[in-house]
Amino acid sequence: MEISQDTVVTMHYVLKNDNGDIIDQSTEERGPLSILQGHGNIIPGLEEELLGKSKGDTFATVISPEHGYGEYQDTMVQIVPLSGFRSEDENEQVQEGMQVQVETNQGPAVAIVTKIEEEDVTLDLNHPLAGETLHFEIEVVEVRSAEENEIEHGHAHGPHGHSH
Ligand code: ZN
C-alpha cells in the first residue's frame, strides 16, 4: 500500500540540523512515530515526501524552513512586563530558558523566555526549529488505511485506540 491522503504511516525517523547534530529521533524506547497523512500532523515538506512511499522504504530528505517550521521572525519576539509573571510560589518564578503559555491574537501559544532584565521579560514565540533546514532520514515501518474516527479526530490512534 502506498502512502496517500488518509493513510496512517508508522515510521522511524532521525532529524538533524545543518551541522549534523541530531535534534530529534524515534527510539526503541518510544517506538516509531505514527501519523495521519494529510492532516498536518507533521510539517508540510515531510508529508509531501512521504506521498507514494510504501512499507520498507527508506529515504533521506532535506527540507527548507519554508516547508518546515517557517522562517525565524523577529516580530515574534516580544518584550512584556515581568509583573505579569509574578507568582505567590517562590519555586514558580519565571526564569530564562523556561517555556511559558501565553495568549496571542491567534489563541494560546508556547513561548520561550529568552531574557529577563529588571522589569522586562523577552519572549520568543518562534518555533524552536524556525529557520532551520531539516535533514530527515526516514524508514517507513507500516502503512494502513485510517479508521473513520482517526480521520474525524485528525490523528492516528495506537494499537489499542483511545477514548477522546
Ligand atoms: Zn483520537
Side-chain angles (χ1 to χ4, degrees):
M1 172 171 223
E2 286 189 356
I3 296 171
S4 59
Q5 177 71 32
D6 297 340
T7 53
V8 171
V9 182
T10 301
M11 63 186 151
H12 276 295
Y13 69 96
V14 178
L15 170 58
K16 294 178 185 166
N17 63 15
D18 267 336
N19 295 329
D21 302 325
I22 294 176
I23 299 170
D24 192 15
Q25 63 182 328
S26 57
T27 59
E28 290 304 321
E29 210 171 73
R30 292 195 324 216
L33 173 71
S34 290
I35 62 109
L36 177 60
Q37 174 75 10
H39 290 258
N41 293 177
I42 53 172
I43 54 170
L46 190 53
E47 280 203 325
E48 211 167 285
E49 291 292 327
L50 284 171
L51 277 176
K53 300 286 196 300
S54 312
K55 177 179 177 169
D57 284 352
T58 57
F59 63 97
T61 184
V62 180
I63 294 172
S64 65
E66 186 194 349
H67 297 109
Y69 292 98
E71 297 289 352
Y72 188 88
Q73 290 175 274
D74 290 335
T75 53
M76 293 188 53
V77 178
Q78 293 170 7
I79 296 176
V80 298
L82 180 62
S83 55
F85 291 91
R86 290 261 154 71
S87 167
E88 295 291 308
D89 186 344
E90 274 200 10
N91 296 321
E92 284 177 16
Q93 298 306 325
V94 67
Q95 286 170 13
E96 288 180 11
M98 219 180 216
Q99 287 193 346
V100 292
Q101 185 102 19
V102 293
E103 285 297 326
T104 70
N105 295 337
Q106 280 90 45
V110 172
I112 295 173
V113 176
T114 52
K115 196 161 69 176
I116 301 173
E117 234 173 19
E118 294 176 16
E119 294 302 305
D120 292 332
V121 176
T122 305
L123 296 178
D124 190 344
L125 282 129
N126 284 287
H127 188 281
L129 295 177
E132 295 275 1
T133 298
L134 307 170
H135 301 251
F136 281 99
E137 290 159 35
I138 303 288
E139 178 194 349
V140 180
V141 177
E142 203 193 323
V143 183
R144 63 169 171 86
S145 301
E147 305 285 343
E148 226 166 85
N149 66 353
E150 289 178 309
I151 296 169
E152 260 170 47
H153 291 185
H155 56 224
H157 293 164
H160 308 294
H162 73 155
S163 55
H164 75 236

